[in-house]
Amino acid sequence: MAAVRRQKANETVFDKSLPSKSKPEVNISTFAFLFSEVVQYNQQRVTSLAQLHEKLADLGRHVGFRMIDLLCVRDRAPKRETRIVNILWFIQKTVWKTLFGKEADRLEQATATEATYYLFEDEPLVNKFVSVPKEQSSFNCAAFMAGTVEAFLCGVQFPCRVKAFLVKEQTTTAFEITFEDSVIERDKRLEANK
């Protein structure tokens, strides 16, 4: 019995399997309170909405880099995604569900350029519990989520820029993912070698 207890005490967070339950591990009201405080803290230290968006995106980047470790290191049969569409599906389904308890609503490619994709989220969790004054109606807390997606993609060798903006009467957020030219060229080479 003592050996079993010592083994469990030496277990790290990476040794534990991902929870299979659909219920989130963090209480939603706790998350809402903490995130609201983070927004207020950063709001007092900036002079413009653009700076506030960038601060939230920076915080999201820290989460995105850690998600790589969490999702990829724990995977018992690791598979490196090499195609743009496959990694975006992975983000839409697996990453989003791990972070926010559900899959992202839709994924679309822009018609104007092959380097741009859109990930849509109806009523993002980070926007639900933050009150925005009318004079700051363009403020979108989902900049945090955009930073998370950008860091995750850059960390798995898909360099890009991700921006979040409000659409559909300010309830849906679109994440505009614009990949660098090197990623598009690599994807074309992989398609040609298929």
Side-chain angles (χ1 to χ4, degrees):
M1 277 299 222
V4 172
R5 287 186 186 145
R6 267 184 277 181
Q7 183 181 10
K8 286 185 179 181
N10 292 335
E11 241 180 31
T12 66
V13 71
F14 294 111
D15 295 327
K16 298 176 184 175
S17 64
L18 290 173
S20 60
K21 57 186 177 184
S22 61
K23 183 177 154 187
E25 289 186 27
V26 176
N27 187 312
I28 192 76
S29 60
T30 304
F31 172 78
F33 175 74
L34 288 174
F35 191 76
S36 175
E37 290 299 314
V38 165
V39 171
Q40 288 177 36
Y41 175 83
N42 285 299
Q43 193 173 22
Q44 295 169 357
R45 285 157 179 75
V46 297
T47 57
S48 70
L49 280 180
Q51 288 178 335
L52 182 55
H53 282 148
E54 191 54 38
K55 287 258 189 205
L56 290 175
D58 284 342
L59 289 170
R61 286 183 190 102
H62 291 291
V63 174
F65 283 124
R66 283 163 180 79
M67 286 305 296
I68 297 168
D69 290 337
L70 181 69
L71 295 175
C72 297
V73 172
R74 282 186 183 175
D75 193 3
R76 299 293 180 221
K79 178 187 173 199
R80 183 173 183 267
E81 297 294 349
T82 56
R83 304 295 306 275
I84 292 174
V85 173
N86 293 343
I87 195 68
L88 290 174
W89 280 337
F90 183 76
I91 288 173
Q92 178 188 8
K93 297 182 181 307
T94 306
V95 174
W96 221 261
K97 191 166 189 169
T98 302
L99 284 172
F100 306 111
K102 70 178 201 80
E103 294 180 4
D105 294 313
R106 338 183 256 299
L107 175 65
E108 297 176 8
Q109 184 174 11
T111 55
T113 175
E114 62 187 348
T116 303
Y117 290 79
Y118 293 96
L119 189 63
F120 292 94
E121 177 69 14
D122 299 330
E123 297 184 29
L125 180 65
V126 295
N127 286 350
K128 281 186 181 179
F129 305 104
V130 177
S131 300
V132 178
K134 286 187 179 186
E135 63 271 5
Q136 295 180 339
S137 62
S138 64
F139 176 60
N140 189 355
C141 290
F144 172 81
M145 297 164 81
T148 302
V149 171
E150 182 178 313
F152 188 89
L153 285 168
C154 290
V156 295
Q157 305 304 310
F158 286 87
C160 64
R161 291 292 300 160
V162 180
K163 297 178 198 169
F165 56 91
L166 295 167
V167 293
K168 287 191 182 175
E169 300 170 2
Q170 312 294 332
T171 59
T172 299
T173 296
F175 298 92
E176 181 183 59
I177 305 166
T178 307
F179 291 99
E180 290 185 2
D181 292 338
S182 61
V183 177
I184 301 302
E185 291 168 12
R186 181 181 66 202
D187 209 48
K188 286 179 181 176
R189 280 194 313 271
L190 289 169
E191 183 66 29
N193 293 336
K194 195 174 181 184

